Coordinates of all heavy atoms in Angstrom, one line a residue:
A1 N -2.9 5.4 8.2 CA -3.0 4.3 7.3 C -1.6 4.0 6.8 O -0.7 4.7 6.8 CB -3.9 4.8 6.1
Y2 N -1.5 2.7 6.3 CA -0.3 2.3 5.7 C -0.4 2.5 4.2 O -1.5 2.6 3.6 CB 0.0 0.8 6.0 CG 0.6 0.6 7.3 CD1 -0.1 0.9 8.5 CD2 1.9 0.2 7.5 CE1 0.5 0.8 9.7 CE2 2.5 0.0 8.7 CZ 1.8 0.3 9.8 OH 2.4 0.2 11.1
V3 N 0.8 2.7 3.5 CA 0.8 3.1 2.1 C 1.8 2.2 1.4 O 2.9 1.8 1.9 CB 1.3 4.6 2.0 CG1 1.3 5.0 0.5 CG2 0.3 5.5 2.8
I4 N 1.5 1.8 0.1 CA 2.4 1.0 -0.6 C 3.1 1.9 -1.6 O 2.5 2.7 -2.3 CB 1.6 -0.1 -1.4 CG1 0.7 -1.0 -0.5 CG2 2.5 -0.9 -2.3 CD1 -0.1 -2.0 -1.2
M5 N 4.4 1.9 -1.4 CA 5.3 2.7 -2.3 C 5.4 2.2 -3.7 O 5.0 1.1 -4.0 CB 6.7 2.8 -1.6 CG 6.6 3.4 -0.2 SD 8.3 3.8 0.5 CE 8.8 2.2 0.9
D6 N 6.0 3.0 -4.6 CA 5.9 2.6 -6.0 C 6.9 1.5 -6.3 O 7.0 1.0 -7.5 CB 6.1 3.8 -6.9 CG 7.5 4.5 -6.8 OD1 8.4 4.0 -6.1 OD2 7.7 5.6 -7.4
T7 N 7.7 1.1 -5.3 CA 8.6 -0.1 -5.5 C 7.8 -1.3 -5.7 O 8.3 -2.4 -6.2 CB 9.5 -0.2 -4.3 OG1 8.8 0.1 -3.1 CG2 10.7 0.6 -4.4
C8 N 6.5 -1.3 -5.4 CA 5.6 -2.4 -5.7 C 5.5 -2.8 -7.2 O 5.4 -3.9 -7.6 CB 4.2 -2.1 -5.1 SG 2.9 -3.3 -5.5
K9 N 5.6 -1.7 -8.0 CA 5.5 -1.8 -9.4 C 6.3 -2.9 -10.1 O 5.9 -3.6 -11.0 CB 5.8 -0.5 -10.2 CG 4.7 0.6 -9.9 CD 5.1 1.9 -10.6 CE 4.0 2.9 -10.4 NZ 4.5 4.2 -10.9
D10 N 7.6 -3.1 -9.6 CA 8.5 -4.1 -10.2 C 8.3 -5.5 -9.6 O 8.8 -6.4 -10.1 CB 10.0 -3.6 -9.9 CG 10.3 -2.3 -10.5 OD1 9.8 -2.0 -11.6 OD2 11.0 -1.5 -9.9
E11 N 7.5 -5.6 -8.5 CA 7.3 -6.9 -7.9 C 5.9 -7.4 -8.0 O 5.6 -8.5 -8.5 CB 7.7 -6.7 -6.4 CG 7.7 -8.1 -5.7 CD 8.9 -8.9 -5.9 OE1 9.9 -8.3 -6.5 OE2 8.9 -10.1 -5.6
K12 N 4.9 -6.6 -7.5 CA 3.5 -7.0 -7.6 C 3.3 -8.4 -7.1 O 2.6 -9.2 -7.8 CB 2.9 -6.7 -9.0 CG 2.5 -5.3 -9.2 CD 1.7 -5.1 -10.5 CE 0.2 -5.0 -10.1 NZ -0.7 -4.9 -11.3
S13 N 3.9 -8.8 -6.0 CA 3.7 -10.2 -5.6 C 2.3 -10.4 -5.0 O 1.8 -11.5 -5.1 CB 4.7 -10.5 -4.4 OG 4.3 -10.0 -3.2
G14 N 1.7 -9.4 -4.5 CA 0.3 -9.5 -3.9 C 0.2 -10.3 -2.7 O -0.9 -10.7 -2.3
E15 N 1.3 -10.6 -2.1 CA 1.2 -11.4 -0.8 C 0.6 -10.7 0.3 O 0.1 -11.3 1.3 CB 2.7 -11.9 -0.4 CG 3.2 -13.0 -1.3 CD 4.7 -13.2 -1.1 OE1 5.1 -13.4 0.0 OE2 5.4 -13.2 -2.1
C16 N 0.5 -9.4 0.2 CA -0.1 -8.6 1.3 C -1.7 -8.7 1.3 O -2.3 -8.6 2.3 CB 0.2 -7.1 1.0 SG -0.1 -6.5 -0.7
V17 N -2.2 -9.0 0.1 CA -3.7 -9.0 0.0 C -4.4 -10.0 1.0 O -5.3 -9.6 1.6 CB -4.1 -9.4 -1.5 CG1 -5.6 -9.5 -1.6 CG2 -3.6 -8.3 -2.4
S18 N -3.9 -11.2 1.0 CA -4.6 -12.2 1.8 C -4.3 -12.1 3.3 O -5.0 -12.6 4.1 CB -4.2 -13.7 1.3 OG -2.9 -13.9 1.4
I19 N -3.2 -11.3 3.6 CA -2.8 -11.2 5.0 C -3.7 -10.1 5.7 O -3.9 -10.1 6.9 CB -1.3 -10.8 5.1 CG1 -0.6 -12.2 4.9 CG2 -1.0 -10.1 6.3 CD1 0.9 -12.1 4.9
C20 N -4.2 -9.1 4.9 CA -4.9 -8.0 5.5 C -6.2 -8.4 6.1 O -7.0 -9.0 5.5 CB -5.2 -6.9 4.4 SG -6.1 -5.5 5.1
P21 N -6.4 -8.2 7.4 CA -7.6 -8.6 8.1 C -8.8 -7.9 7.8 O -9.9 -8.5 8.0 CB -7.2 -8.4 9.6 CG -6.3 -7.3 9.6 CD -5.4 -7.5 8.4
V22 N -8.7 -6.8 7.2 CA -9.9 -6.0 6.8 C -10.1 -6.0 5.2 O -10.9 -5.3 4.7 CB -10.0 -4.6 7.4 CG1 -10.1 -4.7 8.9 CG2 -8.8 -3.8 7.0
D23 N -9.3 -6.8 4.5 CA -9.4 -6.9 3.1 C -9.4 -5.6 2.3 O -10.2 -5.3 1.5 CB -10.7 -7.7 2.7 CG -10.6 -8.3 1.3 OD1 -9.5 -8.5 0.8 OD2 -11.7 -8.5 0.8
C24 N -8.4 -4.7 2.7 CA -8.5 -3.4 2.1 C -7.3 -3.1 1.1 O -7.1 -2.0 0.7 CB -8.4 -2.3 3.2 SG -6.9 -2.1 4.1
I25 N -6.7 -4.2 0.7 CA -5.6 -4.0 -0.3 C -6.1 -4.6 -1.7 O -6.6 -5.8 -1.8 CB -4.3 -4.8 0.0 CG1 -3.9 -4.4 1.4 CG2 -3.2 -4.5 -1.0 CD1 -2.7 -5.1 2.0
E26 N -6.1 -3.8 -2.7 CA -6.5 -4.2 -4.1 C -5.5 -4.0 -5.2 O -4.7 -3.1 -5.0 CB -7.8 -3.4 -4.4 CG -9.0 -3.8 -3.5 CD -10.3 -3.1 -4.0 OE1 -10.4 -2.7 -5.1 OE2 -11.2 -3.1 -3.1
E27 N -5.6 -4.8 -6.2 CA -4.7 -4.7 -7.3 C -5.1 -3.6 -8.3 O -6.2 -3.6 -8.8 CB -4.5 -6.0 -8.0 CG -3.5 -6.0 -9.1 CD -3.3 -7.4 -9.8 OE1 -4.1 -8.3 -9.5 OE2 -2.4 -7.5 -10.5
G28 N -4.1 -2.7 -8.6 CA -4.4 -1.7 -9.6 C -3.6 -2.1 -10.9 O -2.9 -3.2 -10.9
T29 N -3.7 -1.4 -11.9 CA -3.0 -1.8 -13.1 C -1.5 -1.6 -13.0 O -0.7 -2.5 -13.6 CB -3.4 -0.9 -14.3 OG1 -3.3 0.4 -14.0 CG2 -4.9 -1.2 -14.7
D30 N -1.0 -0.7 -12.2 CA 0.4 -0.5 -12.0 C 1.0 -1.1 -10.8 O 2.1 -1.6 -10.7 CB 0.8 1.0 -12.1 CG 0.0 1.8 -11.1 OD1 -1.0 1.3 -10.5 OD2 0.3 3.0 -10.9
Q31 N 0.2 -1.2 -9.7 CA 0.7 -1.6 -8.4 C -0.5 -2.0 -7.5 O -1.6 -1.7 -7.9 CB 1.6 -0.6 -7.7 CG 0.8 0.6 -7.3 CD 1.6 1.5 -6.3 OE1 2.4 2.3 -6.7 NE2 1.4 1.3 -5.0
Y32 N -0.3 -2.5 -6.3 CA -1.3 -2.7 -5.4 C -1.5 -1.5 -4.6 O -0.6 -0.6 -4.4 CB -0.9 -3.9 -4.4 CG -1.2 -5.2 -5.1 CD1 -0.2 -5.8 -5.9 CD2 -2.4 -5.9 -4.9 CE1 -0.4 -7.1 -6.5 CE2 -2.5 -7.2 -5.5 CZ -1.6 -7.7 -6.4 OH -1.8 -8.9 -7.0
Y33 N -2.8 -1.2 -4.1 CA -3.0 -0.1 -3.3 C -3.8 -0.5 -2.0 O -4.6 -1.4 -2.0 CB -4.0 0.9 -4.1 CG -3.2 1.6 -5.2 CD1 -3.3 1.1 -6.5 CD2 -2.4 2.7 -4.9 CE1 -2.6 1.8 -7.5 CE2 -1.7 3.4 -5.9 CZ -1.8 2.9 -7.3 OH -1.2 3.5 -8.3
I34 N -3.5 0.3 -0.9 CA -4.2 0.1 0.3 C -5.2 1.2 0.4 O -5.0 2.4 0.2 CB -3.2 0.3 1.6 CG1 -2.2 -1.0 1.5 CG2 -4.0 0.3 2.9 CD1 -1.1 -0.8 2.5
D35 N -6.5 0.9 0.8 CA -7.6 1.8 1.0 C -7.2 2.5 2.3 O -7.4 2.0 3.4 CB -8.9 1.2 1.1 CG -10.1 2.1 1.2 OD1 -9.8 3.3 1.5 OD2 -11.2 1.7 1.0
P36 N -6.9 3.9 2.3 CA -6.5 4.5 3.5 C -7.6 4.7 4.5 O -7.4 4.9 5.6 CB -5.9 5.9 3.0 CG -6.5 6.1 1.6 CD -6.7 4.6 1.1
D37 N -8.8 4.7 4.0 CA -10.0 4.9 4.9 C -10.4 3.6 5.6 O -11.0 3.6 6.6 CB -11.2 5.4 4.1 CG -11.0 6.8 3.6 OD1 -10.3 7.6 4.3 OD2 -11.5 7.1 2.5
A38 N -10.0 2.4 5.0 CA -10.3 1.2 5.6 C -9.2 0.5 6.5 O -9.4 -0.3 7.3 CB -10.7 0.2 4.5
C39 N -8.0 1.0 6.2 CA -6.8 0.4 6.9 C -6.9 0.7 8.4 O -7.2 1.8 8.8 CB -5.5 1.0 6.3 SG -4.0 0.5 7.2
I40 N -6.7 -0.4 9.2 CA -6.8 -0.2 10.7 C -5.4 -0.2 11.3 O -5.2 -0.3 12.5 CB -7.6 -1.4 11.3 CG1 -7.0 -2.7 10.9 CG2 -9.1 -1.3 10.8 CD1 -7.6 -3.9 11.7
D41 N -4.3 0.1 10.5 CA -3.0 0.3 11.0 C -2.5 -0.9 11.8 O -1.8 -0.7 12.8 CB -3.0 1.6 11.9 CG -3.2 2.8 11.1 OD1 -2.9 2.8 9.8 OD2 -3.7 3.8 11.6
C42 N -2.8 -2.1 11.4 CA -2.3 -3.3 12.1 C -0.9 -3.6 11.8 O -0.2 -4.2 12.6 CB -3.2 -4.5 11.9 SG -3.0 -5.2 10.3
G43 N -0.4 -3.2 10.6 CA 0.9 -3.5 10.3 C 1.3 -4.9 9.7 O 2.4 -5.2 9.4
A44 N 0.2 -5.7 9.6 CA 0.5 -7.1 9.2 C 1.0 -7.3 7.8 O 1.8 -8.2 7.5 CB -0.8 -7.9 9.3
C45 N 0.7 -6.3 6.9 CA 1.1 -6.4 5.5 C 2.6 -6.1 5.4 O 3.2 -6.5 4.4 CB 0.3 -5.4 4.7 SG 0.2 -3.8 5.3
V46 N 3.2 -5.3 6.3 CA 4.6 -4.9 6.2 C 5.5 -6.0 6.0 O 6.3 -6.1 5.0 CB 5.0 -4.1 7.4 CG1 6.5 -3.7 7.3 CG2 4.1 -2.8 7.4
A47 N 5.4 -7.1 6.8 CA 6.4 -8.2 6.8 C 6.0 -9.1 5.6 O 6.9 -9.8 5.1 CB 6.3 -9.0 8.0
A48 N 4.8 -9.0 5.0 CA 4.5 -9.9 3.9 C 5.0 -9.5 2.6 O 5.2 -10.3 1.7 CB 2.9 -10.0 3.8
C49 N 5.4 -8.2 2.5 CA 6.0 -7.6 1.2 C 7.5 -8.0 1.1 O 8.3 -7.6 1.9 CB 5.8 -6.1 1.2 SG 6.4 -5.4 -0.3
P50 N 7.7 -8.7 -0.1 CA 9.1 -9.1 -0.3 C 10.1 -8.0 -0.7 O 11.3 -8.2 -0.6 CB 9.0 -10.2 -1.5 CG 7.7 -9.8 -2.1 CD 6.8 -9.2 -1.0
V51 N 9.5 -6.9 -1.0 CA 10.4 -5.7 -1.4 C 10.3 -4.5 -0.4 O 10.7 -3.4 -0.7 CB 10.2 -5.2 -2.8 CG1 10.6 -6.3 -3.8 CG2 8.7 -4.9 -3.1
S52 N 9.6 -4.8 0.8 CA 9.5 -3.8 1.8 C 8.9 -2.5 1.3 O 9.4 -1.4 1.6 CB 10.8 -3.5 2.5 OG 11.4 -4.7 3.1
A53 N 7.8 -2.6 0.5 CA 7.2 -1.5 -0.2 C 6.1 -0.8 0.7 O 5.6 0.2 0.3 CB 6.6 -1.8 -1.5
I54 N 5.8 -1.4 1.9 CA 4.7 -0.9 2.7 C 5.2 -0.2 3.9 O 6.0 -0.8 4.7 CB 3.7 -2.0 3.0 CG1 3.3 -2.8 1.7 CG2 2.5 -1.4 3.7 CD1 2.4 -3.9 2.0
V55 N 4.8 1.1 4.1 CA 5.1 1.8 5.3 C 4.0 2.6 5.8 O 3.0 2.8 5.1 CB 6.3 2.8 5.0 CG1 7.6 2.1 4.5 CG2 5.9 3.9 4.0
D56 N 4.1 3.0 7.1 CA 3.1 3.9 7.7 C 3.2 5.2 7.0 O 4.2 5.7 6.6 CB 3.4 4.1 9.2 CG 2.3 4.9 9.9 OD1 2.3 6.1 9.7 OD2 1.6 4.3 10.7
E57 N 2.0 5.8 6.8 CA 2.0 7.1 6.0 C 2.9 8.2 6.6 O 3.5 9.0 5.9 CB 0.6 7.7 5.9 CG -0.1 8.0 7.2 CD -1.5 8.6 7.0 OE1 -1.6 9.6 6.2 OE2 -2.5 8.1 7.5
N58 N 3.1 8.1 7.9 CA 4.0 9.0 8.7 C 5.5 8.8 8.4 O 6.3 9.6 8.7 CB 3.7 9.0 10.1 CG 2.3 9.4 10.5 OD1 1.8 10.4 10.0 ND2 1.6 8.6 11.3
D59 N 5.8 7.6 7.8 CA 7.1 7.2 7.5 C 7.5 7.3 6.1 O 8.5 6.8 5.6 CB 7.5 5.9 8.1 CG 7.3 5.8 9.6 OD1 7.6 6.8 10.3 OD2 6.9 4.8 10.1
L60 N 6.5 7.8 5.2 CA 6.8 7.9 3.8 C 8.0 8.8 3.5 O 8.0 9.9 3.9 CB 5.5 8.4 3.1 CG 4.4 7.5 2.6 CD1 3.4 8.4 1.9 CD2 5.0 6.5 1.6
P61 N 8.9 8.2 2.6 CA 10.0 9.1 2.2 C 9.5 10.3 1.4 O 8.4 10.1 0.8 CB 10.9 8.2 1.4 CG 10.5 6.8 1.7 CD 9.0 6.9 2.2
A62 N 10.2 11.4 1.3 CA 9.7 12.6 0.6 C 9.3 12.3 -0.8 O 8.3 12.7 -1.3 CB 10.7 13.7 0.7
E63 N 10.1 11.4 -1.5 CA 9.9 11.2 -2.9 C 8.7 10.3 -3.1 O 8.2 10.1 -4.2 CB 11.1 10.6 -3.6 CG 11.5 9.2 -3.3 CD 12.3 9.0 -2.0 OE1 12.4 10.0 -1.2 OE2 12.7 7.9 -1.7
Q64 N 8.1 9.7 -2.0 CA 7.0 8.8 -2.1 C 5.7 9.5 -1.6 O 4.7 8.8 -1.5 CB 7.3 7.5 -1.3 CG 8.4 6.7 -1.8 CD 8.0 5.9 -3.0 OE1 6.9 5.6 -3.4 NE2 9.1 5.4 -3.8
E65 N 5.7 10.8 -1.3 CA 4.6 11.4 -0.6 C 3.3 11.4 -1.6 O 2.2 11.4 -1.0 CB 4.9 12.8 -0.2 CG 5.6 12.8 1.1 CD 6.1 14.2 1.5 OE1 5.8 15.2 0.8 OE2 6.8 14.3 2.6
G66 N 3.5 11.3 -2.9 CA 2.4 11.3 -3.8 C 1.6 9.9 -3.7 O 0.4 9.9 -4.2
Q67 N 2.2 8.9 -3.1 CA 1.6 7.6 -3.1 C 0.3 7.5 -2.3 O -0.7 6.8 -2.6 CB 2.5 6.6 -2.6 CG 3.7 6.3 -3.5 CD 3.3 5.7 -4.8 OE1 3.3 6.3 -5.9 NE2 2.9 4.4 -4.8
L68 N 0.2 8.3 -1.2 CA -1.1 8.3 -0.4 C -2.2 8.9 -1.3 O -3.3 8.4 -1.3 CB -0.9 9.2 0.9 CG -2.1 9.2 1.8 CD1 -2.7 7.9 2.2 CD2 -1.8 10.0 3.0
E69 N -1.9 10.0 -2.0 CA -2.9 10.6 -2.8 C -3.4 9.7 -4.0 O -4.5 9.6 -4.3 CB -2.4 11.9 -3.4 CG -2.4 13.1 -2.4 CD -1.3 13.0 -1.4 OE1 -0.2 12.4 -1.7 OE2 -1.5 13.4 -0.2
K70 N -2.4 8.9 -4.5 CA -2.7 8.0 -5.5 C -3.6 6.9 -5.0 O -4.6 6.5 -5.7 CB -1.4 7.3 -6.1 CG -0.7 8.2 -7.1 CD 0.5 7.4 -7.7 CE 0.1 6.3 -8.6 NZ 1.2 5.6 -9.2
A71 N -3.4 6.5 -3.8 CA -4.3 5.4 -3.1 C -5.7 6.0 -2.9 O -6.6 5.3 -3.1 CB -3.7 4.9 -1.8
E72 N -5.7 7.2 -2.4 CA -7.0 7.9 -2.2 C -7.8 8.0 -3.5 O -9.0 7.7 -3.6 CB -6.8 9.2 -1.6 CG -6.4 9.1 -0.1 CD -6.0 10.5 0.5 OE1 -5.7 11.4 -0.3 OE2 -5.9 10.6 1.7
A73 N -7.1 8.3 -4.6 CA -7.7 8.5 -5.9 C -8.2 7.1 -6.4 O -9.3 7.0 -7.0 CB -6.8 9.1 -6.9
F74 N -7.4 6.1 -6.2 CA -7.7 4.7 -6.7 C -9.0 4.2 -6.0 O -9.9 3.6 -6.7 CB -6.6 3.8 -6.3 CG -6.8 2.4 -6.7 CD1 -6.6 1.9 -8.0 CD2 -7.3 1.4 -5.8 CE1 -6.9 0.6 -8.5 CE2 -7.5 0.1 -6.2 CZ -7.3 -0.3 -7.5
F75 N -9.2 4.5 -4.7 CA -10.5 4.0 -4.1 C -11.6 5.1 -4.2 O -12.7 4.8 -3.7 CB -10.1 3.7 -2.7 CG -9.3 2.4 -2.5 CD1 -8.0 2.4 -2.3 CD2 -10.0 1.2 -2.5 CE1 -7.2 1.3 -2.3 CE2 -9.3 0.0 -2.4 CZ -7.9 0.0 -2.3
G76 N -11.3 6.2 -4.7 CA -12.3 7.2 -4.9 C -12.8 7.8 -3.6 O -13.9 8.1 -3.4
Ligands
LIG1 FE1 -4.4 -4.2 6.0 FE2 -3.2 -4.0 8.4 FE3 -1.9 -3.5 6.2 FE4 -3.7 -1.8 6.9 S1 -1.8 -2.2 8.0 S2 -3.4 -2.6 4.9 S3 -5.2 -3.2 7.9 S4 -2.7 -5.5 6.8

């Protein structure tokens, strides 16, 4: 799955939402989140983000590793 890093917090442009073909990106109070169980790994959202906050979970920097768990918790 793709994951939105916490750099989203300062931007929250939301341009990723309408681009996702499976509609799995939702707005949280602090940032946007991708539903890791629904994401089909198409990568379309990556280029839509003006602050390059979206990466494949396998490419998450060490300091961002908690973001996948936050997304899982957000979608329950
Ligand atoms: Fe949606 Fe594709 Fe981004 Fe996954 S990688 S969140 S399916 S746009």
Side-chain angles (χ1 to χ4, degrees):
Y2 278 67
V3 179
I4 302 179
M5 299 189 285
D6 65 8
T7 35
C8 174
K9 289 177 181 172
D10 299 324
E11 187 76 17
K12 279 192 99 180
S13 78
E15 287 169 50
C16 51
V17 175
S18 60
I19 281 181
C20 179
V22 294
D23 199 26
C24 71
I25 306 177
E26 291 185 20
E27 183 175 9
T29 53
D30 54 350
Q31 64 165 86
Y32 282 84
Y33 289 99
I34 292 170
D35 183 347
D37 293 327
C39 175
I40 58 171
D41 294 331
C42 74
C45 54
V46 174
C49 181
V51 292
S52 302
I54 309 177
V55 297
D56 184 284
E57 64 178 303
N58 298 310
D59 298 327
L60 268 180
E63 74 275 10
Q64 296 282 342
E65 278 175 2
Q67 291 296 108
L68 178 57
E69 285 71 34
K70 281 184 70 179
E72 288 169 341
F74 179 79
F75 288 96

